[in-house]
Amino acid sequence: MQTPPHTPGHHAARHPDRAAIVMEPGGQVVTYGELESRSARLARALREAGLRPGDRIALLLDNRAAMLELAWAAQRSGLYYTPVNTRLSGDEAAYVVDDCGATVLFAAAAVAPLAAEVRACAPRVTRFVAVDGPIDGFETLSSFVDGVTDEPLDDECEGSPMLYSSGTTGRPKGVRRLVSGQPYGTENPVGPLLDGVMGFGPGKVYLTPAPLYHSAPLVWSMTVHRSGGTLVLMERFDAQACLDVIDRERVTHAQFVPTMFVRMLKLPDDARAEFDGSSLQAVVHAAAPCPVEVKRRMIEWWGPIVSEYYAGTEGGGLTWIGSTEWLEHPGSVGRAAWGEIHICAESGEELPVGEPGIVRFGGGANAFEYHNDPEKTRQTFDQRGWSTLWDVGYLDADGYLYLTDRLTYMIVSGGVNIYPQEVEDHLLLHPKVTDAAVFGVPDADLGEQVKAVVQPTPGVAAGPELEAELLAYCRAGLAHYKCPRSIDFEAELPRGD
C-alpha cells in the first residue's frame, strides 16, 4: 500500500530510522518507523474497541512520546481527540472528559491520582487505559493493543483535535470542527504556512518546550511530523535547560511564549554568554502579548529570526509579523495572514484607525463551534459572521494590529479604562521581578483600583521596601492612574507550564 503524503508513514517508508521525537531530558528517541507502527497499531485497537469516525477519546498525559503516538492514532482513524490539562483539579478534568464525549480515556501513570479522580466521575468512558505504568482500575496500554497488528486500517481518514479553552471566564469549552471524512494524509491545515514562513521540512529540528495539551504545541508538533522534521519535546520548560537543549540537539526551529523569553533573559550573564544558538533558523512566539522591551532584547540576542503570530485555538483568523517588520512597528502582532481583521465597538460598528475596540476576524478563515454550547457560539459570531476571542486592540494606518488586553480583564477605575497587560509588562522589566499579575479590586470611591501581586527574583527580600521601590518604578514609567495602589508578594505565582 502506498503511504499517503503529509503523514508520518510517508516519511517512515523513506527514512524509518530518522528521529521523529527526541525526549528531553534523557534523549529517548522515537523513530519515524516506530511512530508509524505504534500509531497504526493503536488506531486498529481503537477500531476493534468499537470506535468509528466521529467518536471521541481523551488524553490525560503530560509531555511524553505516547501523547503523540495516541494523537496520530486518532488522527488517522477519523476520531476526535481531546488532550486534558494535567494541572486541572479532578472535578475540572472530569468535566472536560465527560463534556467531550470520550468513551476511551488514556492517562499517564505520572498523573495517577488525577486519573483516579477522573475515573470516578466519567460515566461515558467505557475503557480506561494506563500509559507508561500502572494505574489502579485502568487496563495497561500493552493489554489494550495485545494481539492487534500494526497494519494500517483500510479506510483511514482524517480526525481532528478538540481542544478546550482555558476556562478563565467559566467552564472550559471545547473548540470543535467537523471531521471532514477526507482520506488520511490529504489535510495539512497549517502546513503551507509553516513550510513557507518558518521553513519546516525534512532535516529540520523543532523544539516544543510547552505542554502538548495546548493547541499550538500539539498542532505544530504534528505538522513537523507531516513535513518529516524531528520534534524535540521537553518534559517541562526550564530556562537554562532550554538553552542547553537548543545547542545539544542543534535545534533549528522553536516556539515560545513571552514568559519563557523573560525567564531566559533573566538568567545570569555568564549563562547567556555560553549559549551558542547558531543552529537556530526561525523562532516564533504567541499566546500572549510580549512586552516591547523583552521582544527587542530577544531580537538583539538571537538576531532577526524571531516572528510572532496572534491566533486562538478557535482558528478564526491569524496575524503574522517577522523581526524586521516588528522593529518598524514595535508592539504589533502583525497583519492578517488568515482572514480579515475588523476592530469593532461593543455595539458592533467598525472603528477608525487607531481607536481600540474588540478584535474580530472575518473572511471565513476556519469555521468552528463551541461543543455543547450554541449560546457561546452565537455570542462569538456577530450577524456578519465575524468571530472574536474578546481581545481588545487597534489597527494602524498600515493594517498592523496592536493588542491592549482582554475585554474581560479590563479595569475600570474612576470611569477610566486600564489594561493590566501594560502594567504587567512594565513590572516584568524590573530586575527584582520574576513574574507579576495585575488586576482590579473593589474601591468604594473609584469602583476599582489597580492591584499587583509580584514574584520577586530569587534572593530578593519581599516587604515594604521592595513594594515602595516597585511603586516608584511604576510611577516613573506609567501614567499615575495606571499604577498599582499596593503590591503583594508571593514566592511563586500559579502560572502553568
Side-chain angles (χ1 to χ4, degrees), residues 466-482:
L466 180 59
E467 180 184 25
E469 180 179 345
L470 294 179
L471 290 175
Y473 172 74
C474 287
R475 294 185 187 115
L478 297 169
H480 282 206
Y481 71 88
K482 299 178 182 178

Side-chain angles (χ1 to χ4, degrees), residues 289-311:
C290 186
V292 170
E293 188 57 29
V294 168
K295 177 78 166 276
R296 197 185 306 278
R297 291 179 187 176
M298 287 303 300
I299 294 173
E300 290 172 354
W301 183 16
W302 286 4
I305 61 170
V306 182
S307 297
E308 178 177 3
Y309 69 92
Y310 162 64

Side-chain angles (χ1 to χ4, degrees), residues 409 411 420 423-424 437-441 448-453 484 488:
Y409 297 168
I411 302 168
V423 188
E424 290 173 356
V438 173
F439 46 90
V441 294
E448 288 184 293
Q449 64 171 258
V450 182
K451 178 77 173 181
V453 179
D488 291 346

Side-chain angles (χ1 to χ4, degrees), residues 262-263 266-268 430-435 454-462 466 490-492:
V262 171
R263 301 285 166 89
K266 293 202 172 187
L267 287 170
H430 195 283
K432 295 182 181 179
V433 175
T434 290
D435 209 349
V454 162
Q455 176 182 331
T457 54
V460 173
L466 180 59
E490 294 287 344
E492 185 172 358

Side-chain angles (χ1 to χ4, degrees), residues 323-366:
S323 291
T324 302
E325 285 179 287
W326 185 89
L327 290 170
E328 297 170 352
H329 301 269
S332 172
V333 295
R335 293 191 287 190
W338 288 348
E340 307 158 352
I341 305 172
H342 304 276
I343 306 299
C344 302
E346 290 188 58
S347 56
E349 71 269 17
E350 285 198 72
L351 297 172
V353 166
E355 188 169 338
I358 298 170
V359 180
R360 290 189 176 273
F361 281 100
N366 204 341

